[in-house]
Amino acid sequence: MTTNSSTPNNSTPNSTTTHSTTTSDGGAEYAHEHTPRLAWAKHAPEVYKAMIQLDTAARKGVDPVTFELVKIRASQLNHCAFCLDMHTKDALAAGESVERVVMLSAWEEARHFYTEREAAALALTEAITVLTDGFVPDAVYEEAARLYDETELSGLIAAITTINAWNRFGVSTRMVAGHYTPQSAK
């Protein structure tokens, strides 16, 4: 999600928004755009405002490039199309390379695209996001702690935790991807 003050595009469940159903060359049809389940920000505005405040606080002290990489990677892992749409557009609008964004889903195989600190942040993102083992492995945490001071590490953990919360709102309410415009393009 983003820290702008506008409510996310999650119209009522009865909306009938659709996209073009053919490819640019007139080929196969695309699937119809689904409708969101719930306009959660509208119905829980105080929670939405609190999330914006949390996102703003988590952003402080975290490198802006790393912040967007973390948001994209967590959103990939959580299958949050709305957040993927938003954060890839934000990253590209801020000057991030297409290559680095594309390689995020396979960053361990494409480590040479990322700095040592970014790789540690991505590993920590995966460990915090996918808690199937019930904990963040010591080696992952220790590598992040080696490269980030305690204040930076606290901010990084807050950023990872915050995007995971945004993802859960997006996925559970089926927010619709494809309509977000980055602040810099508005």
Side-chain angles (χ1 to χ4, degrees):
M1 292 298 261
T2 186
T3 58
N4 70 17
S5 60
S6 64
T7 302
N9 179 12
N10 55 350
S11 55
T12 62
N14 296 326
S15 71
T16 57
T17 305
T18 59
H19 280 237
S20 172
T21 58
T22 58
T23 62
S24 60
D25 64 359
E29 290 189 19
Y30 291 112
H32 288 282
E33 181 177 285
H34 69 269
T35 56
R37 290 179 174 151
L38 176 70
W40 77 270
K42 175 183 171 188
H43 298 291
E46 294 304 314
V47 174
Y48 180 72
K49 290 175 191 171
M51 285 297 299
I52 294 291
Q53 290 176 329
L54 180 61
D55 196 78
T56 300
R59 179 180 302 271
K60 292 184 177 156
V62 178
D63 172 67
V65 171
T66 302
F67 192 70
E68 287 304 326
L69 295 176
V70 160
K71 286 183 167 194
I72 294 167
R73 186 63 187 132
S75 299
Q76 288 172 333
L77 294 167
N78 289 321
H79 305 279
C80 185
F82 181 87
C83 293
L84 273 171
D85 178 52
M86 176 182 288
H87 297 299
T88 55
K89 287 176 179 175
D90 282 345
L92 294 170
E96 184 57 80
S97 75
V98 171
E99 281 181 320
R100 284 173 34 104
V101 170
V102 169
M103 289 297 155
L104 271 174
S105 64
W107 70 269
E108 288 180 295
E109 286 290 318
R111 233 182 163 99
H112 59 286
F113 283 88
Y114 307 99
T115 68
E116 189 177 22
R117 285 171 54 100
E118 290 168 345
L122 292 170
L124 188 61
T125 299
E126 290 184 1
I128 291 172
T129 300
V130 183
L131 290 173
T132 54
D133 292 332
F135 61 92
V136 174
D138 289 340
V140 171
Y141 183 86
E142 289 165 4
E143 178 64 4
R146 182 179 73 79
L147 296 166
Y148 292 91
D149 67 34
E150 289 181 347
T151 301
E152 292 172 319
L153 187 57
S154 296
L156 183 58
I157 291 168
I160 295 164
T161 301
T162 303
I163 188 56
N164 273 279
W166 282 122
N167 290 163
R168 278 142 180 81
F169 282 115
V171 170
S172 62
T173 63
R174 291 189 68 195
M175 293 173 70
V176 179
H179 302 282
Y180 177 76
T181 303
Q183 288 288 336
S184 62
K186 290 180 181 176

